[in-house]
């Protein structure tokens, strides 16, 4: 019997959109998989740390900073969270 994934990529994207809208006041229309966290969404390094903390709360998993170093877009975050949940 196959087990269902905890969250699908569209669900992760929806949660991320909700999180960025509520906590960082980002316009939800700007939160697309291609959106760059820094250039398009105007997040800074402090926001990125806060985002990692929120993602840890959301997933219940510890995120190592080096796992998020290469994350640049919303799509990258979705992939990283998906990997985290699968691991």
């Amino acid at each position: 019997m196959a087990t269902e994934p905890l969250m699908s990529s569209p669900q992760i994207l929806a949660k991320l959109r909700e999180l960025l809208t509520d906590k960082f006041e980002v316009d939800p229309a700007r939160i697309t998989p291609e959106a760059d966290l820094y250039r398009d969404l105007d997040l800074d390094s402090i926001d990125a740390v806060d985002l990692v903390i929120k993602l840890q709360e959301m997933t219940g998993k510890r995120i190592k900073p080096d796992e998020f170093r290469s994350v640049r877009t919303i799509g990258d975050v979705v992939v990283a969270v998906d990997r985290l949940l699968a691991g």
Side-chain angles (χ1 to χ4, degrees):
M1 188 163 93
T3 57
E4 287 294 310
L6 296 174
M7 266 194 270
S8 66
S9 292
Q11 288 171 315
I12 294 169
L13 179 59
K15 280 283 198 196
L16 199 51
R17 189 171 279 135
E18 192 179 298
L19 180 68
L20 287 165
T21 302
D22 292 349
K23 304 289 181 218
F24 301 96
E25 300 175 0
V26 176
D27 177 359
R30 293 171 53 206
I31 305 169
T32 64
E34 301 78 29
D36 185 285
L37 296 171
Y38 307 102
R39 279 196 320 264
D40 300 329
L41 304 181
D42 300 322
L43 298 187
D44 59 25
S45 57
I46 303 293
D47 292 332
V49 170
D50 288 344
L51 179 60
V52 168
I53 291 167
K54 295 293 178 198
L55 291 171
Q56 287 181 161
E57 291 170 1
M58 184 177 100
T59 62
K61 306 256 185 176
R62 189 173 182 312
I63 299 171
K64 295 180 198 83
D66 53 318
E67 290 173 354
F68 258 68
R69 214 161 287 204
S70 63
V71 168
R72 291 285 172 260
T73 67
I74 291 295
D76 293 341
V77 175
V78 171
V79 168
V81 169
D82 191 43
R83 239 187 264 133
L84 195 64
L85 291 172

